[in-house]
Amino acid sequence: MTVSTTLQAGPAGSPGGAGLKASAMSFLVPVVLAYILLVSFLRRRRERQMRLKFGYTTRDSLKNMTNDDAFAIQNAVAELEFPWVFNMSLQFALFKTYGFGTMASLLIDTRQLTTAENVTKRYADTVVLIKEFSAHPPTSERTLTAIARMNYLHGHYQKQGRISAGDMLYTLSVFITEPIAWIKLCEWRELNDMEMCAIGTFWKAIGDGMGIDYSELPSSLTGWRDGLQFYHEIMEWAQRYEEAYMLPNEYSRKVADHTMDVLLWHAPQSLKKTAEIASTVLMDARLRRAMRYPPPSSGYRVVVHGIITVRKLLLRYLSPPRPEFLQVHDTAVEADPKTGRYNFRSWQAHPWYVAKTARWGLEGWFTWLLPNGVLPGDDGDRYTSDGYHIEDIGPRAFAGKGHEAVMAEKERLRGMRTAGCPFG
């Protein structure tokens, strides 16, 4: 009689089960490694393609960067490569200006922060103007109108001596430095020299249109080599300005509390204090002192930075790059043909200027699930769901005012704004 010695497949602990498990692992490990390598390749490929597309491959070539190219490169960073963090950095840039008593007191005195609704409207108005001139080409009608309206609103307070030249330069600086810093802190890679140069170049051209006084910067008389040098100089100046003027004051804390309420709008009441403390981890020590927030404990720091690190690793090795058809564009491409108004596509707490139909979109459903969620169309037309005219954006006190001044400023900008290099 022949005795069979063939092993049959059995439970995991048996020789047959162990063989199947080893076989599965020998298949899965190469697949996972191949996927990680593919994601890594695809993520780096876009960065390389951008360099080749624009031709800014050396430091010397950056001096030729045009305003149009700077806009296109920054737009790719903001809407395709790092949209969530870039948007967060703009929110924080605005928040950081509240660390100065002069700027915070203006918001308190003009009663722009008396209610949560006023806070969200001011934020929406600011973001709309920034998005209008940063999401459309430098010499486009929408960009010119947005800068002109911004200049009109600032001009009112500048004439009263409520906004200093230093405050204006600092405000410009944070829109250059904060996106670069936040991407370095939170994203899977840092910005390269071309991308940092683009942000510096783009905002230098915006500052020119705003009539910003650069005399405090070292190269203001001789000129800057490129946007990268401009970025480094304005960053160093901003740090000195913070040391001199970002000091503890009651106005900054009041504005910070109002703003924090909106930023944590959807947090459950029982978790709001925890979320507020966690948020202070992302502030530097000087800003916390100015706003009179206590330093967070080491436990909060470990948790927050741990979450950031995990996100970086997931994006770097497991998440493919965002495809172009999912590019984040917050402003409507075209105005409503009947009203001539534009709609916004996202909102913070209150859906200012967002079309009622957006309540049925992904963000609408997500908002509906959250505590305190307010959807477009709630409370009738309270949040101007039919959209905005760019020349009307601003505090309620300025509604319907300044149209002639905005149009005159727009023509001035048309004569000076260029698609070429702002350092030429």
Side-chain angles (χ1 to χ4, degrees):
M1 178 182 295
T2 303
V3 179
S4 174
T5 58
T6 304
L7 292 175
Q8 302 296 317
S14 69
L20 285 175
K21 186 176 180 180
S23 237
M25 289 300 292
S26 67
F27 171 76
L28 286 175
V29 170
V31 168
V32 171
L33 289 175
Y35 177 77
I36 289 173
L37 289 172
L38 176 63
V39 169
S40 181
F41 169 77
L42 291 174
R43 283 205 166 273
R44 287 296 181 186
R45 184 179 66 169
R46 176 177 286 163
E47 182 185 6
R48 291 192 296 269
Q49 287 176 335
M50 286 286 289
R51 281 187 176 277
L52 293 173
K53 176 182 178 181
F54 291 98
Y56 301 115
T57 55
T58 64
R59 175 60 194 268
D60 190 58
S61 66
L62 296 179
K63 70 178 184 292
N64 300 315
M65 185 177 288
T66 65
N67 200 6
D68 272 355
D69 282 353
F71 154 75
I73 294 166
Q74 180 183 255
N75 203 45
V77 169
E79 296 188 353
L80 196 59
E81 195 78 337
F82 310 116
W84 186 75
V85 168
F86 197 93
N87 189 58
M88 288 289 292
S89 74
L90 296 184
Q91 290 182 353
F92 188 77
L94 287 172
F95 185 80
K96 199 170 183 180
T97 63
Y98 305 155
F100 295 87
T102 51
M103 289 188 258
S105 64
L106 177 61
L107 295 175
I108 296 293
D109 294 345
T110 55
R111 302 180 64 81
Q112 293 186 47
L113 300 178
T114 52
T115 66
E117 195 170 284
N118 284 351
V119 175
T120 57
K121 185 178 188 303
R122 183 188 182 275
Y123 173 76
D125 287 342
T126 303
V127 170
V128 163
L129 289 177
I130 291 173
K131 294 285 187 176
E132 283 291 345
F133 65 64
S134 62
H136 302 99
T139 55
S140 68
E141 292 297 307
R142 292 175 71 168
T143 290
L144 296 176
T145 306
I147 299 174
R149 183 63 178 178
M150 179 174 61
N151 288 350
Y152 168 76
L153 295 173
H154 286 161
H156 176 79
Y157 298 112
Q158 285 174 303
K159 289 174 184 176
Q160 296 177 353
R162 299 299 305 271
I163 302 179
S164 69
D167 287 348
M168 289 290 288
L169 182 58
Y170 182 82
T171 301
L172 180 76
S173 77
V174 292
F175 289 109
I176 300 171
T177 60
E178 290 307 313
I180 294 171
W182 272 69
I183 289 170
K184 180 178 182 179
L185 173 68
C186 300
E187 281 294 352
W188 63 273
R189 71 168 175 89
E190 299 179 23
L191 294 180
N192 57 48
D193 283 355
M194 180 188 74
E195 291 163 332
M196 290 190 288
C197 180
I199 293 173
T201 302
F202 176 86
W203 284 97
K204 166 60 165 62
I206 293 294
D208 290 344
M210 295 172 66
I212 296 284
D213 180 3
Y214 299 122
S215 60
E216 293 293 321
L217 302 184
S219 300
S220 59
L221 295 178
T222 58
W224 293 271
R225 176 183 178 186
D226 51 38
L228 196 58
Q229 183 192 7
F230 183 74
Y231 154 63
H232 286 298
E233 280 197 11
I234 204 169
M235 176 180 63
E236 292 167 3
W237 173 86
Q239 290 171 349
R240 295 193 298 272
Y241 196 73
E242 289 174 5
E243 291 171 3
Y245 300 107
M246 188 180 277
L247 305 172
N249 67 92
E250 59 177 309
Y251 294 110
S252 291
R253 180 55 190 260
K254 286 180 181 178
V255 176
D257 285 344
H258 283 300
T259 306
M260 195 70 77
D261 286 343
V262 171
L263 294 176
L264 303 179
W265 185 265
H266 296 300
Q269 193 62 40
S270 59
L271 296 177
K272 280 197 173 181
K273 189 61 182 177
T274 300
E276 180 182 297
I277 297 172
S279 299
T280 64
V281 173
L282 300 173
M283 302 180 196
D284 58 53
R286 185 177 293 112
L287 180 60
R288 279 197 302 270
R289 285 196 297 269
M291 294 180 167
R292 296 179 175 173
Y293 283 121
S297 68
S298 58
Y300 277 96
R301 293 178 184 276
V302 169
V303 170
V304 171
H305 287 291
I307 291 171
I308 290 172
T309 300
V310 169
R311 180 182 181 274
K312 282 183 176 182
L313 293 173
L314 290 175
L315 289 174
R316 177 71 178 83
Y317 296 109
L318 298 178
S319 177
R322 180 183 296 268
E324 291 191 11
F325 71 87
L326 289 179
Q327 185 167 348
V328 177
H329 196 75
D330 288 327
T331 58
V333 176
E334 300 289 343
D336 184 291
K338 295 180 180 178
T339 66
R341 293 175 175 269
Y342 297 100
N343 283 110
F344 211 58
R345 293 175 172 173
S346 64
W347 64 93
Q348 183 77 39
H350 295 136
W352 289 101
Y353 312 121
V354 180
K356 293 178 181 178
T357 53
R359 68 186 293 118
W360 307 114
L362 185 61
E363 186 169 354
W365 283 106
F366 184 69
T367 301
W368 180 75
L369 293 170
L370 294 172
N372 305 317
V374 182
L375 295 171
D378 285 357
D379 297 320
D381 199 34
R382 186 174 184 174
Y383 302 111
T384 323
S385 58
D386 60 340
Y388 58 86
H389 292 296
I390 300 172
E391 59 271 23
D392 280 333
I393 289 293
R396 290 186 176 92
F398 291 91
K401 298 179 181 178
H403 287 189
E404 290 185 5
V406 169
M407 291 303 106
E409 176 66 3
K410 184 177 174 180
E411 291 308 308
R412 183 190 75 84
L413 290 168
R414 196 190 306 279
M416 68 163 293
R417 291 278 289 174
T418 174
C421 179
F423 299 104

